[in-house]
Every structure is written in C-alpha cells, then in structure tokens.
Amino acid sequence: MAQPVGIKDVARAAGVSVGTVSNVINRPDTVATETRARVLSAIDRLGYVRSESARQLRAGRSRIMGLLVLDMGNPFFVDVARGAERAARDAGLGVMVCNSAESAGEEAEYLSLFAEQRVRGVLLTPADATGRNIASFRRHGIPFVLVDRVSEGTTECSVSVDDVAGGALAVRHLIDAGHRSIAYVSGPPGFTQVRDRRTGALNALAEAGLGPECLRELPTERLDVAAGRDAGARLLGLADRPTAVFCANDLLALGVLQAMYAAGVNVPEDLAIVGYDDIEFAAAAAVPLTSVRQPAVTMGALAAEMLLEETEEGEAGAGRHEHRRVVLQPELVVRRSSLSAR
C-alpha cells in the first residue's frame, strides 16, 4: 500500500522548507507569489491532502461534534440527527453520529471513542439509567447536551419535550372518545420518557375521575416494532381486553397495529391506538396512526446550538456559560386509528 504524501514530501518537491509549505496552506499572503505557485504545483502534482484531524488537535479545537442516540432505526432519532447536522453545518462543523442501540455498554464504548477523538462536544440521549456513563464521561471535560432527556442529578444543558403533558394529551383524547379501559405499552421502565408518559396518562385519568386501575401497563424490553407486536399478542390474550392502547412510541404502536391486523381485530372499531413521536410512517400506516408529535428536528437543532454556545463561550472565558434546560411542548395529531366512538 502506498504511503500517504506528507508535508515533507511537498517541501522536498518544491525545494522549500516545511515551514514555507505550512505558510502556503495556512497563511498564503505571507509567501512570495513565485514560491507560492511552486508549492501549490507540488501539492497538485503529488496529490497532497493535509491532515485536518492533526491540525485540529494542534489547535485544540475540533470541528466535529458527537451525536449518540438510542436507536437510529427509529425515524424520530433520524429527525433529531437532521436538525443537529443542519445547525452544525451552518457553523462549519460536522457531526459523528453513533447508535447505542439502547445499550448502556455500547453507550460507554462510544463515549470513550468521543473522548479519544477529542470531539468539540457531544449531544447525548442516555441509555444508561444509572447515570454512571455520564459521570465517567464528565471527567474528560468535554461539554455535552442531553437530548430528549433531562437526567436526574445533572446540571448540563438539555433539550427535551414535556412527556408528562404528552402522555396526558394521548389519554385525555381516548377518554374523550369514551374509553374507560386503556392499555399502556410502555417500553423499558428504566427510561425517563416511559415513566413520564405513564405519569401523564394517570394524570388524565385522575382529571376524569378515573382510577389508576383503568390503565393496564404492558412493559416491553425494547422500543421497536417487534416489541410492539409482542405486546399486541399479549393484549389479544387478555380476557378483559382494554378498548384502547396508548404506546410509548410510534414503533410500538405500529407493532400493535400489525398484531391486530393479523388477528382480524378492527382498528379503531375494536381497539383504538395512539402512538408517540409522530414519525413519518405514522401517517402512512394502513390505518393512519394518531400520535403525540415531538418537534424532533427542532430538538436536534436547539441542542447543537446550545453546545456551540457553550464551547464558544468557554473559549472566550471560563465561567461565562450558564447551563439551561429547554422544555418543548408536544401536540396531538389525530388520525383514524383512534376515531371510533364508544
């Protein structure tokens, strides 16, 4: 394998010093026209490409921010990444996107990678409910912003959605449609979002004078379509099947919808379904899915902007940056999957 062309090779070919080549690349106005032309000709002839990563390390200022999400198979996080990438690109930065796959172990490995690469900062949706990964990463002194999460015991910047309000929106809608027995397909109980959406659902029941027994929780190990299908199968096996289902995200809801379709259960006539996130597939489902919309692109963009503010202010002077938490409001998007009257 051919060795990459280095700055010394260019200097040798042009008959100049390494410092002169560096000046042509970084401060061309300081080099005489004839010398500059000779160096540029050598660069072109040899195919030299400067090592941007080495330059950034020498300057102590990376042009890459890390983004670590729970599941890149979930279109919600794709939209978060789109928003973050747009804001980073506007600032002249790139984004290294990694997927923890809802695994605390994989999250720890990627956070170590970010530290090794000395990224500018990290946008993080934590998978580790204990907070140990965050505590370990904090020791590196790399700024980070929590996305779609406010982690207990941390003071860092965060951008999230009011999931308690979102859960209340979903179940209030089902109650208004006449449902009094509702299942909650909840996902892993260690996730804050799962707990907050359940709290909102219980709040909506209480507002209507209904007790917590009206909400039957069906936890799942993951937040994907397969887990939704499994929950749907369990739902079908209940003797006193609820008349409506609220799912912690749209992938779970789509899985439940698939299970109902396979079993010949009509949605929404026999079972109403409400999801969460309002991903693109929600509107395109066989039965268009009612969902609680999160502004995912906005969330990613705001998180990236907050990270940029923190890193820029940190360079201008220690202690200038003040951490803040931004909480966005969800909205209910009603479609056919929940429109049956009881």
Side-chain angles (χ1 to χ4, degrees):
M1 180 181 295
Q3 294 295 316
V5 175
I7 194 170
K8 291 181 179 179
D9 299 314
V10 174
R12 189 179 305 111
V16 299
S17 69
V18 169
T20 299
V21 177
S22 177
N23 286 337
V24 169
I25 294 171
N26 298 298
R27 296 180 297 278
D29 293 342
T30 66
V31 182
T33 302
E34 181 180 343
T35 303
R36 185 168 67 242
R38 194 163 70 249
V39 171
L40 291 174
S41 176
I43 287 174
D44 183 63
R45 187 170 67 256
L46 297 175
Y48 168 74
V49 177
R50 69 174 176 175
S51 173
E52 182 67 13
S53 60
R55 187 188 70 83
Q56 291 171 15
L57 289 176
R58 285 194 299 271
R61 181 182 175 87
S62 173
R63 291 180 55 230
I64 299 295
M65 67 171 62
L67 171 62
L68 182 55
V69 299
L70 287 178
D71 181 12
M72 281 305 293
N74 186 339
F76 167 76
F77 287 111
V78 174
D79 286 343
V80 169
R82 284 174 50 218
E85 190 274 336
R86 185 181 304 165
R89 186 177 65 245
D90 289 346
L93 273 66
V95 179
M96 181 192 299
V97 181
C98 298
N99 176 29
S100 71
E102 301 178 19
S103 164
E106 291 191 33
E107 175 182 83
E109 292 176 4
Y110 279 123
L111 289 175
S112 293
L113 175 64
F114 290 151
E116 291 171 4
Q117 295 297 317
R118 303 184 193 178
V119 296
R120 174 91 162 242
V122 174
L123 308 179
L124 170 65
T125 303
D128 176 23
T130 69
R132 285 193 290 265
N133 285 344
I134 288 179
S136 178
F137 183 69
R138 190 181 286 111
R139 292 179 300 181
H140 296 290
I142 298 174
F144 64 91
V145 174
L146 299 178
V147 185
D148 191 36
R149 185 74 57 87
V150 175
S151 185
E152 297 177 3
T154 66
T155 59
E156 280 76 18
C157 289
S158 64
V159 182
S160 61
V161 167
D162 188 340
D163 284 314
V164 174
L169 281 175
V171 172
R172 193 178 296 124
H173 167 68
L174 292 171
I175 293 171
D176 290 344
H179 298 282
R180 296 296 181 269
S181 178
I182 302 170
Y184 176 43
V185 178
S186 60
F191 288 167
T192 304
Q193 297 98 318
V194 167
R195 297 196 302 268
D196 286 351
R197 291 165 196 178
R198 179 179 183 274
T199 297
L202 292 172
N203 289 348
L205 289 171
E207 291 170 5
L210 301 172
E213 69 278 0
C214 295
L215 187 73
R216 180 174 298 191
E217 185 168 359
L218 297 174
T220 64
E221 293 184 358
R222 296 184 62 81
L223 289 161
D224 54 23
V225 173
R229 285 196 298 267
D230 175 71
R234 284 184 279 151
L235 186 64
L236 289 167
L238 296 177
D240 53 343
R241 185 194 307 163
T243 61
V245 180
F246 167 44
C247 298
N249 75 1
D250 284 342
L251 296 183
L252 290 172
L254 291 171
V256 171
L257 180 60
Q258 289 179 6
M260 296 305 110
Y261 180 81
V265 175
N266 292 321
V267 175
E269 292 80 9
D270 299 327
L271 184 76
I273 302 177
V274 176
Y276 206 105
D277 290 340
D278 194 35
I279 63 176
E280 183 177 356
F281 297 139
V287 179
L289 185 67
T290 293
S291 184
V292 178
R293 175 179 293 166
Q294 297 197 82
V297 174
T298 299
M299 192 182 306
L302 281 174
E305 290 167 3
M306 292 167 72
L307 184 61
L308 288 167
E309 289 174 7
E310 179 172 356
T311 56
E312 289 170 0
E313 290 177 7
E315 290 170 356
R320 292 184 55 182
H321 177 76
E322 293 185 5
H323 292 309
R324 57 194 174 98
R325 294 181 173 182
V326 175
V327 180
L328 305 174
Q329 292 302 308
E331 61 176 306
L332 183 71
V333 180
V334 178
R335 300 189 181 96
R336 184 167 168 256
S337 71
S338 65
L339 285 179
S340 63
R342 304 303 297 177

